[in-house]
Amino acid sequence: MTLATTTQVQATRPTLAGAALAYMTGFGNEFATEALPGALPVGRNSPQRCPYGLYAEQLSGTAFTMPRWLNRRTWTYRIRPGAMHEPFRRVDGGRVVAAFGDTVVPPNQMRWDPLPIPAEPVDWIDGWVTMAGNGSAASMSGCAVHLYAANRSMEGRYFANADGELLVLPQQGRVRFRTELGTLEVAPTEIAVIPRGVRFAAELPDGPSRGYVCENFGSLFRIPDLGAIGSNGLANPRDFETPVAAYEDREGRFELVTKFMGQRWVAAIDHSPLDVVAWHGNYAPYRYDLKRFNVIGSISYDHPDPSIFLVLQSQSAVPGVDAIDFVVFAPRILAMQDTFRPPWFHRNVASEFMGLIEGVYDAKAEGFQPGGASLHNSWTGHGPDARTFEEQSRIDTSKPTVIRDTMAFMVETCLPYFPTRAALESAQLQPEYYRCWQGLAKHFDPSRP
Ligand code: FE2
């Protein structure tokens, strides 16, 4: 168990600008952290009176009766309970969707250019557009993939997503999440995971920003078992970082925004909900630097299935079948001999939504831009484009290939993706994407084995 402290957030500087951020390491650890000394009760969770006159409140991320190794909950000690706000009223939710399955899905390969940065002021939660998803928030299964493009910090309002856990991947510009459990900041090639229901404000210290959000309606993300790999490798637990407690004691006229069953609701609140002075537990936000991913691959011939690149998984009820596999195609060295080294041509039962944080994805010579996206649904044929195939089928595989400039990722799901109307009618959709395979030559010659 880790005990860490940090300084109190000053009421006059609620943005934490310039404040040093501190983190505790480990995945799903039983953390304990306090921003004032002695704020955590000792020996019990709910004493008759808490230190400093704080209120105790439990935040449960799993059923009370889940097995111990899957059970997630956090005890918070806060200035006011989370129940203190006025009633929510429904407002326009913009281009966000949280239920899928009743739209027509083209079985085509799809790819999009990056979202443009908006010209008008748009904060982080207003900048979302849902691209695709499956399942629903109401069934607590499946996922949604959103893109965001925004240019200013959330001011005077706070957000919580009751529909799912948020996996955030900035592609341009950092995002600083001031959450009720502490502040974490992520830059491009890093990810943040904000648990379902945790309240926060998102700041954009670099201004114009863009990225991806995977919303997980189902079981919480976890790091995978390693099987024959052994006790180390892929995303190592110590590289996950959870912020220490930080709070603001701030009163005023604010908005508490929540997304519940896909709808946006707003309530007036007369104080900051980021008022947790101390907490202990294992249900908390975390961040991870994808550049720390320990890439494992073949050192003889062929390459493993891309499940070898698994960072986080959301397991389904079927053993061995994940509702979500979050995999990363990170910089790596390819040394397999007499092997076509890029991803092969394939058609899968799984469905694949991809994004590119930086550089070039090794299966596509052109057209897949950082900030862009692609969707290959189940059984949709795809793979290297014609130029990549021709080049890579001729390289000297006695020498290694070093892939330095890349960071692509995939949110792979066991259910088909339903692209949204916004995605299908997007100005960024590339109608000519299919042409990247049309130039593949016929090499077949029955007279030459
Ligand atoms: Fe694929």
Side-chain angles (χ1 to χ4, degrees):
M1 185 178 291
T2 306
L3 182 67
T5 59
T6 188
T7 52
Q8 176 182 351
V9 179
Q10 299 299 309
T12 53
R13 292 178 59 198
T15 63
L16 278 175
L21 304 180
Y23 301 90
M24 304 171 286
T25 60
F27 188 87
N29 279 8
E30 191 70 28
F31 297 112
T33 174
E34 54 189 20
L36 290 176
L40 273 176
V42 175
R44 66 200 64 216
N45 294 323
S46 186
Q48 187 176 27
R49 282 194 295 276
C50 295
Y52 295 105
L54 296 169
Y55 288 91
E57 180 176 286
Q58 185 176 219
L59 192 58
S60 289
T62 55
F64 297 146
T65 49
M66 283 287 273
R68 183 179 287 272
W69 64 90
L70 296 173
N71 205 306
R72 298 286 195 91
R73 60 86 184 88
T74 283
W75 276 95
T76 62
Y77 301 92
R78 56 195 320 143
I79 300 171
R80 295 177 181 85
M84 284 187 66
H85 55 77
E86 295 183 19
F88 284 104
R89 58 190 164 80
R90 189 180 157 196
V91 298
D92 180 25
R95 299 170 292 173
V96 173
V97 176
F100 304 91
D102 59 354
T103 54
V104 175
V105 183
N108 291 320
Q109 307 103 346
M110 296 179 214
R111 192 165 66 185
W112 293 267
D113 290 332
L115 279 183
I117 302 293
E120 69 281 7
V122 174
D123 73 10
W124 190 75
I125 57 169
D126 281 347
W128 288 23
V129 54
T130 308
M131 297 296 285
N134 50 48
S136 69
S139 66
M140 299 184 86
S141 66
C143 77
V145 180
H146 318 272
L147 306 180
Y148 70 84
N151 51 24
R152 71 167 190 172
S153 299
M154 290 171 61
E155 292 175 1
R157 61 179 184 163
Y158 303 89
F159 179 62
N161 183 32
D163 288 345
E165 186 178 27
L166 301 178
L167 165 60
V168 182
L169 298 101
Q171 186 272 320
Q172 175 185 327
R174 290 170 294 164
V175 187
R176 184 181 300 142
F177 292 103
R178 292 192 302 115
T179 83
E180 57 185 316
L181 300 176
T183 299
L184 66 166
E185 185 176 282
V186 283
T189 77
E190 298 174 331
I191 62 169
V193 174
I194 312 285
R196 189 195 304 251
V198 167
R199 294 170 178 174
F200 64 92
E203 297 177 349
L204 303 177
D206 300 323
S209 301
R210 183 165 54 205
Y212 309 84
V213 178
C214 171
E215 183 178 10
N216 173 18
F217 302 138
S219 64
L220 295 175
F221 281 121
R222 49 165 285 175
I223 46 178
D225 291 333
L226 296 180
I229 292 173
S231 56
N232 302 284
L234 308 187
N236 286 305
R238 70 183 292 247
D239 293 324
F240 289 84
E241 297 179 304
T242 288
V244 298
Y247 70 94
E248 54 185 24
D249 182 7
R250 186 182 181 208
E251 293 166 8
R253 295 180 59 81
F254 308 121
E255 288 185 339
L256 179 59
V257 183
T258 191
K259 187 167 80 66
F260 182 61
M261 298 301 104
Q263 308 295 324
R264 180 180 287 194
W265 300 79
V266 178
I269 187 168
D270 65 2
H271 60 276
S272 169
L274 311 184
D275 63 352
V276 176
V277 179
W279 61 266
H280 76 86
N282 56 7
Y283 188 65
Y286 55 88
R287 69 173 190 171
Y288 174 73
D289 183 351
L290 296 171
K291 289 185 173 174
R292 294 190 183 182
F293 186 76
N294 177 230
V295 185
I296 289 174
S298 168
I299 50 173
S300 57
Y301 62 87
D302 284 354
H303 52 78
D305 292 321
S307 48
I308 197 69
F309 300 144
L310 185 57
V311 183
L312 294 169
Q313 63 184 166
S314 169
Q315 295 181 314
S316 77
V318 181
V321 177
D322 288 342
I324 305 172
D325 275 342
F326 169 62
V327 304
V328 65
F329 303 89
R332 61 200 183 279
I333 298 168
L334 306 178
M336 308 85 82
Q337 300 203 338
D338 186 23
T339 293
F340 182 76
R341 287 174 172 170
W344 357 249
F345 294 104
H346 55 289
R347 291 177 293 155
N348 291 344
V349 63
S351 295
E352 306 176 8
F353 190 100
M354 283 194 66
L356 183 61
I357 305 297
E358 64 181 22
V360 176
Y361 173 55
D362 58 317
K364 297 292 188 298
E366 54 196 2
F368 191 20
Q369 303 171 43
S374 70
L375 173 60
H376 304 113
N377 250 321
S378 54
W379 307 115
T380 298
H382 61 288
D385 59 18
R387 192 174 124 197
T388 300
F389 179 83
E390 291 300 330
E391 291 175 0
Q392 292 295 318
S393 60
R394 288 176 169 78
I395 65 165
D396 176 3
T397 61
S398 69
K399 300 186 177 75
T401 302
V402 181
I403 302 178
R404 288 192 177 87
D405 183 23
T406 193
M407 189 62 82
F409 72 91
M410 178 162 67
V411 180
E412 186 179 78
T413 58
C414 66
L415 298 176
Y417 274 111
F418 288 76
T420 60
R421 174 174 291 186
L424 294 172
E425 297 177 356
S426 167
Q428 285 74 49
L429 183 66
Q430 299 178 359
E432 305 295 306
Y433 176 39
Y434 74 100
R435 291 190 185 279
C436 77
W437 294 287
Q438 302 310 307
L440 286 162
K442 180 181 178 183
H443 295 291
F444 178 64
D445 181 350
S447 68
R448 295 179 60 191

